[in-house]
């Protein structure tokens, strides 16, 4: 599996880019958000990649950061969402805005994306609702999705990683003072959960 490429950018022809890595040219499809942040032609670029293997083709997709790549991989697991639609989503809305739309169950926000109708938007919201924290990947994205302090968001993320639901994790963090170190807060949250 090709997970990352670093090389010279030879061509930009949306959504396609061509990257030369030590004499081998890799064709990748990238979302517009990534394309806009690439250097000029002949500049050095680094892209996180995901390889999609189908019966009739091997397609390589490139991303500027891990949150875009993780969201892409999650989106293509949703029934009815293929790589082309996932790229359209990433090109039309930032990762954090998409996660906010899922968190607040905003169908209207998603139907504005080309190729996303009402039924598809509802399916996305339903299937991704419980995956918000996992999709966020970093505290900075989770902070835009979850209310409260940064340390509390990290505690919620840790609890979700342990298998607790978003709701259980949020309830367990109630009463933990803002600014509490993550380790201490996590211990307190686990004690709260064991009492419940």
């Amino acid at each position: 599996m090709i997970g990352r490429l670093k090389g010279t950018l030879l061509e930009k022809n949306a959504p396609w880019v061509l990257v030369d890595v030590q004499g081998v040219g890799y064709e990748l499809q990238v979302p517009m958000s990534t394309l806009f942040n690439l250097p000029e032609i002949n500049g050095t670029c680094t892209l996180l990649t995901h390889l999609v293997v189908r019966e009739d083709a091997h397609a390589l997709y490139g991303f500027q950061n891990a949150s875009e790549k993780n969201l892409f991989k999650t989106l293509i697991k949703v029934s009815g969402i293929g790589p082309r639609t996932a790229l359209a989503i990433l090109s039309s809305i930032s990762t954090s805005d998409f996660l906010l739309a899922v968190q607040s169950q905003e169908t209207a926000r998603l139907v504005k994306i080309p190729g996303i109708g009402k039924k598809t938007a509802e399916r996305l919201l339903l299937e991704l609702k419980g995956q918000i924290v996992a999709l966020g990947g970093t505290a900075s994205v989770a902070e835009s999705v979850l209310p409260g302090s940064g340390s509390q968001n990290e505690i919620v993320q840790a609890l979700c990683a342990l298998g607790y639901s978003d709701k259980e994790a949020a309830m367990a963090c109630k009463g933990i003072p803002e600014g509490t170190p993550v380790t201490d807060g996590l211990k307190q949250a686990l004690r709260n959960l064991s009492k419940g």
Side-chain angles (χ1 to χ4, degrees):
M1 179 73 81
I2 301 167
R4 178 178 164 274
L5 291 177
K6 181 178 181 180
T8 305
L9 183 63
L10 298 181
E11 291 178 20
K12 282 197 279 189
N13 187 15
W16 294 92
V17 296
L18 181 64
V19 180
D20 180 293
V21 181
Q22 298 182 348
V24 178
Y26 291 89
E27 278 189 337
L28 303 96
Q29 292 183 65
V30 298
M32 297 307 290
S33 51
T34 296
L35 190 73
F36 291 142
N37 288 309
L38 288 173
E40 295 299 315
I41 299 297
N42 295 321
T44 300
C45 67
T46 302
L47 292 169
L48 298 176
T49 61
H50 179 70
L51 180 65
V52 174
V53 179
R54 291 198 315 251
E55 191 176 298
D56 58 342
H58 290 179
L60 195 57
Y61 298 88
F63 310 94
Q64 64 182 337
N65 56 49
S67 61
E68 276 194 350
K69 179 180 175 179
N70 290 339
L71 180 54
F72 177 84
K73 288 168 66 175
T74 302
L75 287 169
I76 61 176
K77 290 178 187 171
V78 176
S79 64
I81 303 292
R84 182 177 294 167
T85 305
L87 273 189
I89 291 169
L90 288 169
S91 294
S92 303
I93 187 170
S94 71
T95 306
S96 56
D97 284 347
F98 180 83
L99 296 178
L100 278 169
V102 174
Q103 175 73 13
S104 54
Q105 295 289 287
E106 291 183 56
T107 309
R109 202 170 191 175
L110 298 185
V111 294
K112 293 177 183 172
I113 299 169
I116 301 293
K118 190 167 188 267
K119 284 186 178 181
T120 304
E122 288 170 351
R123 189 179 324 117
L124 279 167
L125 294 177
L126 180 67
E127 292 194 32
L128 300 179
K129 175 72 172 147
Q131 301 181 44
I132 291 296
V133 176
L135 283 172
T138 64
S140 62
V141 174
E143 281 162 22
S144 67
V145 175
L146 299 166
S149 70
S151 62
Q152 283 186 326
N153 286 322
E154 289 183 38
I155 296 165
V156 170
Q157 284 183 321
L159 291 170
C160 289
L162 292 170
Y164 293 100
S165 71
D166 292 353
K167 189 175 179 181
E168 289 171 323
M171 290 296 288
C173 288
K174 282 192 175 176
I176 297 174
E178 287 192 17
T180 302
V182 175
T183 309
D184 297 341
L186 184 57
K187 287 177 186 173
Q188 178 61 48
L190 288 169
R191 279 197 293 273
N192 293 347
L193 284 164
S194 66
K195 289 176 193 170

